[in-house]
Amino acid sequence: MKLVNPAILSRRDFLRNSAIGSTAAFAALMLPTWQTAAQSAGVHINPLKIPPLDKGRMENGVTVYDLKLQQGAADFFDQIKTPTLGINGSYLGPTLRMRAGNKVRLNVRNAIGETTTLHWHGFHIPAKMDGGPHQPVQNGETWSPEFEVKQKAASFWYHSHQLHETANHVWRGLAGMIIVDDEEGDALALPRDYGVDDIPLVLQDRSFSQDGRMDYNASRPDIMMGKVGNVPMTNGTVAPYFEAKSKLIRLRILNGSNANTYNLAFDDGRAFFQIGTDGGLLEAPFKTSNIILSPAERAEIIVDVSGGKNIVLTSRGVSGGMGMMGGGMMGGMMGNRGSSRYNFLEIRPAPSLNASAELPAKLTTIDWINPESATNTRRFIMNMTMGPLMMLGFGNSHTINDRAMKMRRIDEVVKLGTTEIWEIGNTSPLPHPFHVHDVQFQILDRNGRKPHPGERGLKDTVLVNQGENVRIIARFQDFSDPDRPYMYHCHILEHEDAGMMGQFTVV
Ligand code: C2O
Ligand code: CU
Ligand code: CU
């Protein structure tokens, strides 16, 4: 008889229980129980995978990256092969390192067996290079967008964006991180040794069937609420640990989940410093002990791991948002979505830690946009049709301004070179992370109140809670194209796929 998961079996908690034999019965037990085990017993058995760093190669002044989108078989669990999608690997993709001001070309070769796209989330680039639903790459073909990196030093990401298939393709693995460096960032005394004291963390939750498959299928409630899994994964590693060798560790955290908002904190409640948002550094480090990150949002943090004990980066679930939804049909359907506790990463400090430089008091200067300079205000209302008809599959269930996404309809036309305020409302019973392509925006206010200190930076995604009105401001510069739109959408991928997306051109 074959052991299903010797790594887990060899753990004390399991080994002690000899009643659990090394039989197929264990296989049935293993997948559903292991998350509970990882949580209650604090089992962290796998070294954290660090995505390979790809700095590209120089070709006539252009930095070139080769990305092959492919089918894979991942080793999430010992002796189980999970069919997946990946980029130059079996699950997720390499971390692309880019320099501000450089020209880059990405050769995106699609070999997944179906049409998909690859989008550069957070990048200010021409619409035809964006990799959204209007740049499909057929299976067997290669798409080679080229653009100048106009971002500030920050952590971005790339992921599939095929119309109606984004949730499916991202769930199965088509995503990766991008780190942009610039001179200002280089001059700061921040941890920058990739994989050593500067760690990318792609946080996701997935669910598996008994035989270890993580095929994508979305039920009606999944489409309503967004698909949430019960197994936390970090860089595609289940139950990961990381051995820290330096006192200060920089974590570049991406919420790469399909639908889950994480409330991240360390299990001992220790404080840490947030240093960056989606599109850049904060002006100064912000001391906090938790960060709420909705799908697609990023935060860079610095944590002091000294003190001799292991700490666990945990999501405690968000109260107030989803938690506020009491009984009724919605409450029943919600189950504990959004309120699960996930242990994402155990950090084990080495017995003797390398010293780290003091955190700089000032990180960057943000060019705050004066609201008076806006020449136009647009309003967007995210909504979901709930009633029984929707449950049976009728009607436009997920909308922005009462319309579901249509490829041939341009919803908004923005004048090149202007500054606009976008007011985003949410009349549905769920929070939605609103994402805008093309720009890094600034949050003016939430229901008239100043944004949280951790949001006072460059953003491309903002969580809009039920009944909230969030005002953002952005300049629409550099690129115009009357024919090819950019997208704005809810980044709960099931919602995006179900229509909570619109299109704007800049002309
Ligand atoms: Cu992260 Cu429209 O995408
Ligand atoms: Cu995007
Ligand atoms: Cu949504």
Side-chain angles (χ1 to χ4, degrees):
M1 258 175 259
K2 177 174 136 181
L3 290 189
V4 170
N5 193 326
I8 285 187
L9 270 179
S10 68
R11 290 289 116 177
R12 55 195 189 287
D13 311 280
F14 286 87
L15 207 57
R16 250 187 239 128
N17 189 351
S18 52
I20 301 176
S22 54
T23 67
F26 183 73
L29 258 173
M30 206 272 304
L31 287 172
T33 53
W34 102 250
Q35 187 211 3
T36 324
Q39 288 177 347
S40 55
V43 178
H44 290 271
I45 51 171
N46 296 308
L48 175 72
K49 289 178 191 154
I50 304 289
L53 191 62
D54 186 348
K55 295 179 177 169
R57 63 190 144 80
M58 227 17 171
E59 253 177 37
N60 303 321
V62 179
T63 314
V64 181
Y65 304 81
D66 295 315
L67 300 176
K68 185 180 174 204
L69 280 48
Q70 58 196 28
Q71 299 176 338
D75 299 299
F76 298 129
F77 307 96
D78 280 10
Q79 300 192 24
I80 294 178
K81 292 279 182 209
T82 302
T84 48
L85 298 177
I87 300 136
N88 300 352
S90 61
Y91 184 75
L92 300 178
T95 299
L96 310 180
R97 192 138 210 169
M98 299 180 179
R99 254 202 104 68
N102 279 8
K103 266 213 150 146
V104 298
R105 180 162 63 242
L106 301 117
N107 297 319
V108 177
R109 184 165 143 226
N110 179 5
I112 68 165
E114 56 189 293
T115 304
T116 191
T117 80
L118 211 56
H119 164 60
W120 323 105
H121 180 119
F123 273 65
H124 174 50
I125 47 178
K128 68 172 179 204
M129 307 299 178
D130 198 38
H134 292 273
Q135 289 82 43
V137 189
Q138 311 298 326
N139 183 50
E141 291 192 346
T142 300
W143 175 61
S144 298
E146 197 173 306
F147 52 84
E148 185 192 329
V149 178
K150 286 176 162 291
Q151 309 311 129
K152 291 182 74 166
S155 311
F156 300 87
W157 65 306
Y158 57 96
H159 62 80
S160 285
H161 212 309
Q162 174 69 15
L163 190 73
H164 303 315
E165 296 295 337
T166 298
N168 173 2
H169 292 169
V170 173
W171 178 271
R172 288 152 68 200
L174 293 184
M177 220 182 229
I178 305 177
I179 297 177
V180 172
D181 300 304
D182 65 10
E183 264 169 40
E184 186 187 45
D186 289 354
L188 293 168
L190 292 172
R192 62 180 72 259
D193 196 353
Y194 183 81
V196 178
D197 62 8
D198 182 354
I199 317 294
L201 296 181
V202 181
L203 306 186
Q204 299 178 311
D205 49 83
R206 296 290 183 260
S207 45
F208 295 85
S209 55
Q210 299 284 343
D211 57 355
R213 296 182 69 93
M214 48 171 283
D215 303 342
Y216 184 79
N217 39 59
S219 64
R220 271 275 137 197
D222 286 338
I223 293 168
M224 292 292 282
M225 290 337 133
K227 190 169 170 67
V228 165
N230 59 353
V231 178
M233 296 213 290
T234 306
N235 300 342
T237 326
V238 291
Y241 66 85
F242 173 76
E243 282 169 0
K245 296 192 181 64
S246 307
K247 183 170 185 280
L248 297 186
I249 299 290
R250 175 191 203 161
L251 302 175
R252 299 173 182 266
I253 307 174
L254 159 68
N255 182 336
S257 76
N258 274 36
N260 215 329
T261 292
Y262 301 134
N263 183 5
L264 300 167
F266 291 97
D267 60 338
D268 65 353
R270 77 177 55 195
F272 54 87
F273 288 93
Q274 184 182 350
I275 59 165
T277 52
D278 300 337
L281 293 167
L282 290 170
E283 293 194 305
F286 162 59
K287 191 175 183 183
T288 183
S289 56
N290 79 303
I291 283 187
I292 293 178
L293 270 195
S294 66
E297 285 188 295
R298 286 89 65 208
E300 285 188 29
I301 69 167
I302 302 273
V303 58
D304 183 338
V305 300
S306 60
K309 65 178 180 124
N310 298 346
I311 51 173
V312 181
L313 179 66
T314 296
S315 171
R316 297 176 304 188
V318 181
S319 60
M322 306 258 209
M324 256 167 39
M325 300 192 33
M329 181 185 77
M330 294 293 302
M333 272 168 29
M334 300 274 305
N336 66 350
R337 280 162 198 271
S339 63
S340 312
R341 182 189 166 104
Y342 297 119
N343 289 336
F344 278 113
L345 178 67
E346 182 177 68
I347 300 178
R348 302 177 181 169
S352 104
L353 292 167
N354 298 326
S356 304
E358 288 273 307
L359 254 194
K362 181 174 164 41
L363 299 169
T364 190
T365 308
I366 293 172
D367 175 16
W368 297 110
I369 308 174
N370 182 352
E372 307 276 287
S373 66
T375 50
N376 194 17
T377 298
R378 288 172 211 266
R379 190 152 169 73
F380 299 88
I381 307 270
M382 294 184 278
N383 197 10
M384 294 165 65
T385 314
M386 291 306 203
L389 280 180
M390 156 59 207
M391 294 306 289
L392 295 171
F394 296 105
N396 288 335
S397 52
H398 299 63
T399 56
I400 298 179
N401 293 345
D402 293 324
R403 297 193 291 205
M405 161 78 184
K406 279 238 163 33
M407 286 288 271
R408 285 201 292 272
R409 186 191 67 229
I410 305 292
D411 299 280
E412 309 288 336
V413 179
V414 176
K415 203 161 164 249
L416 180 70
T418 60
T419 298
E420 297 207 349
I421 293 173
W422 287 17
E423 274 185 35
I424 309 143
N426 173 3
T427 51
S428 83
L430 292 178
H432 302 277
F434 189 84
H435 168 51
V436 187
H437 289 215
D438 181 36
V439 293
Q440 285 292 328
F441 56 75
Q442 297 166 11
I443 303 174
L444 290 175
D445 43 44
R446 288 179 174 274
N447 285 347
R449 289 187 313 272
K450 261 179 94 169
H452 181 268
E455 295 186 315
R456 293 181 202 158
L458 299 181
K459 296 282 295 165
D460 54 55
T461 306
V462 60
L463 186 62
V464 183
N465 290 299
Q466 308 93 300
E468 239 178 2
N469 189 37
V470 177
R471 292 196 315 146
I472 62 174
I473 189 165
R475 297 191 184 106
F476 295 81
Q477 293 165 315
D478 303 313
F479 311 116
S480 73
D481 188 331
D483 304 318
R484 295 187 193 82
Y486 296 103
M487 308 290 127
Y488 52 86
H489 57 90
C490 172
H491 220 290
I492 290 178
L493 301 180
E494 285 72 22
H495 293 178
E496 171 191 332
D497 283 344
M500 200 180 280
M501 177 155 68
Q503 315 194 86
F504 71 100
T505 53
V506 179
V507 295

